[in-house]
Amino acid sequence: MNKVHRFTASRKPTNVTLPADLVSEAKRLGINVSQACEAGLVDQVRKMLGEEWKRENREAMESSNEYVRKHGLPLARYRDRLWRS
């Protein structure tokens, strides 16, 4: 399950300080500032979760890559058969 979904269940009022001219222009253009802020925050959280996952799993990924460099892909001998079907 994507961890970001857990952040959309309930709402919490939050104060965000933004440049006044940016908010005015957003309102003039019909942009919902709350939705835009939420979308930006969701994107940033997804990015940071991805980076966190990479840090936490770096050792395993390096180990897997090293295995493939030394031994090749585990099922490589079956690749031709799959593509001919």
Side-chain angles (χ1 to χ4, degrees), residues 56-82:
E56 291 173 353
N57 293 283
R58 176 173 279 126
E59 188 177 321
M61 296 302 295
E62 288 173 356
S63 174
S64 177
N65 289 338
E66 183 61 24
Y67 177 89
V68 171
R69 278 191 288 277
K70 286 182 180 177
H71 306 285
L73 293 172
L75 301 175
R77 63 183 170 187
Y78 299 108
R79 288 184 85 171
D80 281 343
R81 293 180 192 174
L82 290 174

Side-chain angles (χ1 to χ4, degrees), residues 16-74:
V16 177
T17 303
L18 301 167
D21 56 343
L22 179 63
V23 174
S24 295
E25 192 67 5
K27 286 184 178 186
R28 185 186 72 77
L29 294 168
I31 296 170
N32 182 312
V33 175
S34 293
Q35 288 177 351
C37 288
E38 182 177 350
L41 188 56
V42 166
D43 288 344
Q44 188 65 28
V45 168
R46 282 187 178 138
K47 177 183 173 187
M48 296 301 291
L49 285 172
E51 291 173 10
E52 180 180 69
W53 185 91
K54 288 176 188 176
R55 281 191 307 276
E56 291 173 353
N57 293 283
R58 176 173 279 126
E59 188 177 321
M61 296 302 295
E62 288 173 356
S63 174
S64 177
N65 289 338
E66 183 61 24
Y67 177 89
V68 171
R69 278 191 288 277
K70 286 182 180 177
H71 306 285
L73 293 172

